Amino acid sequence: MIGIMATGWYDIPSGSTFIPYVGGGLGLVILSSSSFLSATGTILGVQAGVGVNIPLSGALDLQVGYRIMAPFGNPLLLFHHAELGVVYRL
């Protein structure tokens, strides 16, 4: 399952060093057949996510987050994604 999503993210003002965020998106989900998946094709899908940015220095943050993506019409196909990364804020 591959997702091509238009997403939006919102940093929640917390008054602390940590910057929590929430977001979501809408886009296309490309399904291809495999041993555990019998569906194929391209359909509309959604995703939602939460996480936290931890400032490291200046414009550089450590990002820890979680996303879930699902195609419309098949609630059994859920893609869970944990992420760890570095964000550079312009």
Side-chain angles (χ1 to χ4, degrees):
M1 181 164 50
I2 297 171
I4 302 171
M5 300 279 170
T7 60
W9 300 99
Y10 175 71
D11 290 337
I12 301 168
S14 65
S16 74
T17 304
F18 303 105
I19 305 164
Y21 64 87
V22 297
L26 182 68
L28 298 176
V29 177
I30 302 166
L31 303 171
S32 60
S33 184
S34 69
S35 59
F36 68 92
L37 180 65
S38 60
T40 60
T42 302
I43 58 175
L44 195 60
V46 295
Q47 77 170 352
V50 296
V52 64
N53 289 324
I54 304 162
L56 297 176
S57 65
L60 203 59
D61 293 352
L62 175 66
Q63 183 180 63
V64 180
Y66 167 79
R67 293 186 197 194
I68 186 167
M69 181 174 58
F72 281 119
N74 195 335
L76 299 178
L77 296 177
L78 295 176
F79 177 72
H80 301 272
H81 176 83
E83 56 190 12
L84 177 64
V86 177
V87 175
Y88 182 77
R89 294 180 180 271
L90 299 175

